[in-house]
Amino acid sequence: LVLQNGKLKPFHKGIINNTLVTVPLVPGLYLVSTHRYGGYKISSLSIVNIQVQDGSFIETLVKGVDYDSAIEMKYTERNISFQYKISLSGGCTIVIFKLA
């Protein structure tokens, strides 16, 4: 858990768009948040548990109604990759926090 000025410091902060992005991960527990203003409802909040031997485990706590049809997100024990499944203009913010 990395704090900066009393706030949780992001492990990764970026944009989901039509191009595939891959972010390396190390084993641990992550909080993954997506947020987009207006248009498609693809904001979400997920917990991801990356295990070295057993791969990755994800629990989605909440997601927008268009999330499954609009965002492709894949996890392995080494990384997370994401992009839009459909062609959309404008990006969706993604912020990843490492909790443990």
Side-chain angles (χ1 to χ4, degrees):
L1 195 62
V2 180
L3 295 178
Q4 185 178 23
N5 300 328
K7 293 184 180 179
L8 201 54
K9 181 182 175 188
F11 177 84
H12 173 83
K13 189 171 184 179
I15 299 291
I16 299 173
N17 56 32
N18 297 305
T19 305
L20 182 67
V21 174
T22 300
V23 177
L25 298 178
V26 295
L29 188 65
Y30 296 86
L31 179 67
V32 179
S33 169
T34 66
H35 181 74
R36 178 177 161 128
Y37 290 104
Y40 277 72
K41 296 173 180 66
I42 52 182
S43 298
S44 69
L45 191 62
S46 302
I47 296 287
V48 182
N49 186 3
I50 303 293
Q51 301 282 328
V52 175
Q53 291 132 344
D54 302 314
S56 58
F57 305 92
I58 181 171
E59 179 181 7
T60 302
L61 305 175
V62 62
K63 61 185 173 183
V65 293
D66 301 319
Y67 182 86
D68 288 331
S69 61
I71 291 184
E72 179 177 359
M73 198 168 298
K74 293 182 180 174
Y75 297 91
T76 71
E77 61 271 10
R78 291 184 188 87
N79 60 51
I80 172 178
S81 59
F82 44 82
Q83 69 181 18
Y84 286 149
K85 287 181 182 177
I86 56 180
S87 184
L88 287 179
S89 60
C92 175
T93 302
I94 181 167
V95 183
I96 303 171
F97 299 97
K98 189 167 189 309
L99 303 177

